[in-house]
Amino acid sequence: MARIRTIKPEAFASESLAAVSLSAERTFFGLLTQADDHGRLRDQPAVIAGLLWSLRPDHGPLGVEDDLTQLAATDLICRYEGHDGKRYLHIITWHQHQKIDRPSGARTPPCPQRDHTPTGAPARSTRRVLTEGSVRAHRGLTEPSTDRRETSPSHEAAGQTAFDEPSSRAQGGLSEPSLSPHRPDLGPRIVDLGSVPSGGASAPAPTPTVSAKQLVGEYIAACAHRPPEKFLARLGREVNQLLAENIAADHIRSALDRLRAKGLSPSVLPSLVNEAMNALPHQAGSRPAHRAWTNPTDVENAYGGDL
């Protein structure tokens, strides 16, 4: 099965690879992905051609055989016969460039001439040593602390003797009263969301906000009959835009009252709001009542003798 392998940048400046053809160089990089965790695979040019050159039918088993011959001549691979009588090859510099974290067990025989890498047993033994060491380390944590002080006095200098004391003593300070006799008890410092403070002072109530839906609802309630939905939709958009400009709701209500009384279109609502906001005093109802014209009692003083 193909595997993900590493190709170093120095490979493209390798004199050994520069001495072979481009097809042999590509075959070499392909062998990296087909070799097992020990850099070995079966020496079968036809199979290798199918794995590496399946989309290049012009480069078949004969071409791969020529590639392998070039690679073996430049000491990039070694071709050998195993104890089972089958042909194998291995990449000579495999362990210098490929770092396998957890190599699997070897399924191919090693090369008797140039490959002296042991099978996958050392990897399993390494994992076993690490496991035993970790178990001993965890077991040491459960042993009494007095043994650690006797065997390794350096723990005291590192400040680790505090773990020998019972934890109840360290936590005893938390159970003591934290209130000072000279200060009043203000109650718990952490208050749940939505709860009322325990003191006499309370946060000011938020200022209620008026929405466009509420203002339009008031307009509908004051009408004798419900206006058409298209009219209300247009009116709601106008009111929402005026609220977005931070215009006071009282000014919008005044404009809605005039709009309802005159039966005007919602498009004139901004003009009515402007009139409610910027009306002159005589336009706001402070103009004196109209008085009928009467002749002056003293005509000569009123007209200066011009009549």
Side-chain angles (χ1 to χ4, degrees), residues 223-240:
C223 293
H225 302 282
R226 181 180 178 86
E229 293 298 332
K230 188 175 182 180
F231 177 90
L232 295 178
R234 177 69 182 276
L235 183 63
R237 289 193 298 269
E238 295 291 342
V239 173
N240 193 22

Side-chain angles (χ1 to χ4, degrees), residues 4-76:
I4 299 176
R5 300 305 186 190
T6 302
I7 299 178
K8 293 185 177 180
E10 293 82 1
F12 299 95
S14 171
E15 296 180 357
S16 300
L17 286 175
V20 300
S21 62
L22 290 178
S23 62
E25 184 179 29
R26 172 174 170 170
T27 299
F28 176 77
F29 290 144
L31 293 177
L32 297 177
T33 64
Q34 300 299 326
D36 60 10
D37 291 341
H38 305 278
R40 311 186 196 113
L41 71 156
R42 288 290 303 276
D43 188 354
Q44 297 173 310
V47 176
I48 295 175
L51 294 174
L52 304 181
W53 298 90
S54 59
L55 298 180
R56 301 293 180 91
D58 55 332
H59 197 80
L62 295 179
V64 172
E65 174 63 31
D66 182 66
D67 295 342
L68 297 178
T69 302
Q70 296 181 49
L71 295 175
T74 53
D75 290 334
L76 290 172

Side-chain angles (χ1 to χ4, degrees), residues 204-228:
T207 304
T209 57
V210 180
S211 63
K213 182 178 180 180
Q214 181 179 349
L215 293 176
V216 174
E218 296 175 0
Y219 178 89
I220 297 174
C223 293
H225 302 282
R226 181 180 178 86

Side-chain angles (χ1 to χ4, degrees), residues 178-189 198-199:
S178 59
L179 299 177
S180 174
H182 301 288
R183 297 179 180 178
D185 185 7
L186 300 179
R189 299 301 188 270
S198 58

Side-chain angles (χ1 to χ4, degrees), residues 15-203:
E15 296 180 357
S16 300
L17 286 175
V20 300
S21 62
L22 290 178
S23 62
E25 184 179 29
R26 172 174 170 170
T27 299
F28 176 77
F29 290 144
L31 293 177
L32 297 177
T33 64
Q34 300 299 326
D36 60 10
D37 291 341
H38 305 278
R40 311 186 196 113
L41 71 156
R42 288 290 303 276
D43 188 354
Q44 297 173 310
V47 176
I48 295 175
L51 294 174
L52 304 181
W53 298 90
S54 59
L55 298 180
R56 301 293 180 91
D58 55 332
H59 197 80
L62 295 179
V64 172
E65 174 63 31
D66 182 66
D67 295 342
L68 297 178
T69 302
Q70 296 181 49
L71 295 175
T74 53
D75 290 334
L76 290 172
I77 65 171
C78 180
R79 309 176 75 176
Y80 63 96
E81 182 177 349
H83 57 77
D84 54 359
K86 298 179 181 180
R87 299 292 302 174
Y88 297 93
L89 64 87
H90 75 92
I91 302 172
I92 296 176
T93 58
W94 174 264
H95 295 284
Q96 299 178 13
H97 303 287
Q98 303 296 326
K99 305 300 181 183
I100 310 302
D101 186 17
R102 296 181 179 180
S104 59
R107 298 183 180 180
T108 56
C111 176
Q113 291 85 16
R114 310 184 66 166
D115 187 4
H116 302 286
T117 303
T119 59
R124 291 192 295 269
S125 62
T126 302
R127 290 195 295 269
R128 187 181 303 112
V129 171
L130 294 177
T131 304
E132 293 175 357
S134 60
V135 172
R136 286 196 298 270
H138 290 295
R139 188 183 301 116
L141 294 177
T142 59
E143 295 176 356
S145 58
T146 55
D147 297 339
R148 290 200 302 272
R149 290 200 303 269
E150 294 176 359
T151 56
S152 56
S154 60
H155 288 287
E156 295 181 0
Q160 298 180 1
T161 56
F163 292 101
D164 301 334
E165 300 179 358
S167 59
S168 59
R169 182 181 305 172
Q171 298 176 358
L174 298 178
S175 61
E176 297 176 359
S178 59
L179 299 177
S180 174
H182 301 288
R183 297 179 180 178
D185 185 7
L186 300 179
R189 299 301 188 270
I190 300 177
V191 183
D192 294 336
L193 294 178
S195 60
V196 180
S198 58
S202 59

